Coordinates of all heavy atoms in Angstrom, one line a residue:
Chain C
H347 N 7.4 -1.1 20.3 CA 8.5 -2.0 20.5 C 9.9 -1.5 20.9 O 10.5 -2.0 21.6 CB 8.6 -2.9 19.1 CG 9.5 -4.1 19.2 ND1 9.3 -5.1 20.2 CD2 10.7 -4.5 18.7 CE1 10.3 -6.1 20.1 NE2 11.1 -5.7 19.2
F348 N 10.2 -0.4 20.1 CA 11.5 0.2 20.3 C 11.5 1.4 21.0 O 12.5 2.3 21.0 CB 12.2 0.6 18.9 CG 12.4 -0.8 18.1 CD1 11.8 -1.1 17.0 CD2 13.5 -1.7 18.5 CE1 12.0 -2.4 16.3 CE2 13.7 -2.8 17.8 CZ 13.0 -3.2 16.8
K349 N 10.3 1.8 21.7 CA 10.2 2.9 22.6 C 10.5 4.2 21.9 O 11.4 5.0 22.5 CB 11.0 2.7 23.9 CG 10.4 1.5 24.6 CD 11.1 1.3 26.0 CE 10.5 0.1 26.8 NZ 10.2 -1.0 26.1
V350 N 10.1 4.4 20.7 CA 10.2 5.6 19.9 C 9.0 6.5 20.1 O 7.8 6.0 20.1 CB 10.5 5.3 18.5 CG1 10.5 6.6 17.6 CG2 11.8 4.6 18.4
P351 N 9.0 7.9 20.3 CA 7.9 8.6 20.4 C 7.0 8.6 19.2 O 7.6 8.8 18.0 CB 8.5 10.1 20.5 CG 9.8 9.9 21.1 CD 10.3 8.6 20.5
V352 N 5.7 8.3 19.3 CA 4.9 8.1 18.0 C 4.5 9.3 17.4 O 4.6 9.4 16.1 CB 3.6 7.4 18.5 CG1 2.6 7.2 17.4 CG2 3.8 6.1 19.1
W353 N 4.2 10.4 18.1 CA 3.8 11.7 17.4 C 4.7 12.3 16.4 O 4.4 12.8 15.5 CB 3.4 12.7 18.5 CG 2.2 12.3 19.2 CD1 2.0 12.1 20.6 CD2 0.9 12.2 18.6 NE1 0.6 11.7 20.8 CE2 -0.1 11.7 19.6 CE3 0.3 12.1 17.4 CZ2 -1.4 11.5 19.4 CZ3 -1.1 12.0 17.1 CH2 -1.9 11.6 18.2
G354 N 6.0 12.2 16.8 CA 7.0 12.7 16.0 C 7.0 12.1 14.6 O 7.1 12.8 13.5
L355 N 6.8 10.8 14.5 CA 6.8 10.0 13.3 C 5.5 10.3 12.6 O 5.4 10.6 11.3 CB 7.0 8.5 13.5 CG 8.4 8.0 13.8 CD1 8.4 6.6 14.3 CD2 9.3 8.2 12.6
V356 N 4.3 10.4 13.3 CA 3.1 10.7 12.6 C 3.0 12.0 12.0 O 2.7 12.1 10.9 CB 2.0 10.6 13.8 CG1 0.6 11.2 13.3 CG2 1.7 9.3 14.3
D357 N 3.5 13.1 12.7 CA 3.6 14.4 12.1 C 4.6 14.4 10.9 O 4.4 15.1 9.9 CB 4.0 15.5 13.0 CG 2.9 15.6 14.2 OD1 1.8 15.5 13.8 OD2 3.3 15.8 15.4
L358 N 5.7 13.6 11.0 CA 6.7 13.6 9.9 C 6.1 13.0 8.6 O 6.4 13.4 7.4 CB 7.9 13.0 10.3 CG 9.0 12.8 9.3 CD1 9.7 14.2 8.9 CD2 10.2 12.0 9.9
Y359 N 5.4 11.8 8.9 CA 4.8 11.0 7.7 C 3.7 11.7 7.1 O 3.3 11.4 5.9 CB 4.5 9.6 8.1 CG 5.7 8.8 8.4 CD1 5.5 7.7 9.4 CD2 7.0 9.0 8.0 CE1 6.6 6.9 9.7 CE2 8.0 8.2 8.3 CZ 7.8 7.2 9.3 OH 8.9 6.4 9.6
T360 N 2.8 12.3 7.8 CA 1.5 12.8 7.4 C 1.4 13.4 6.0 O 0.7 13.0 5.2 CB 0.7 13.6 8.4 OG1 0.4 12.9 9.6 CG2 -0.5 14.2 7.8
P361 N 2.3 14.4 5.6 CA 2.2 15.0 4.4 C 2.4 14.1 3.2 O 2.1 14.3 2.1 CB 3.3 16.1 4.4 CG 3.5 16.4 5.8 CD 3.4 15.0 6.5
F362 N 3.2 13.0 3.4 CA 3.7 12.0 2.4 C 2.6 11.0 2.2 O 2.7 10.3 1.1 CB 5.0 11.5 2.8 CG 6.1 12.6 2.9 CD1 6.4 13.0 4.1 CD2 6.7 13.1 1.7 CE1 7.4 14.1 4.2 CE2 7.7 14.1 1.8 CZ 7.9 14.6 3.0
L363 N 1.6 10.9 3.1 CA 0.5 10.0 2.8 C -0.2 10.3 1.5 O -0.4 9.5 0.6 CB -0.4 9.9 4.0 CG 0.2 9.3 5.3 CD1 -0.9 9.5 6.3 CD2 0.6 7.8 5.0
P364 N -0.7 11.6 1.3 CA -1.4 11.9 0.0 C -0.4 11.9 -1.2 O -0.8 11.6 -2.3 CB -2.0 13.3 0.3 CG -1.1 13.9 1.4 CD -0.7 12.8 2.2
F365 N 0.9 12.1 -0.9 CA 2.0 12.1 -2.0 C 1.9 10.6 -2.5 O 1.9 10.5 -3.8 CB 3.2 12.6 -1.4 CG 4.4 12.6 -2.4 CD1 4.5 13.6 -3.4 CD2 5.3 11.6 -2.4 CE1 5.5 13.6 -4.2 CE2 6.3 11.5 -3.4 CZ 6.4 12.5 -4.3
V366 N 2.2 9.7 -1.7 CA 2.4 8.4 -2.1 C 1.0 7.8 -2.8 O 1.0 7.1 -3.7 CB 2.9 7.4 -1.0 CG1 2.9 6.0 -1.5 CG2 4.2 7.9 -0.6

Side-chain angles (χ1 to χ4, degrees):
Chain C
H347 187 63
F348 295 111
K349 296 184 176 39
V350 172
V352 175
W353 289 119
L355 285 170
V356 168
D357 294 322
L358 181 62
Y359 290 155
T360 294
F362 300 95
L363 294 175
F365 178 79
V366 176

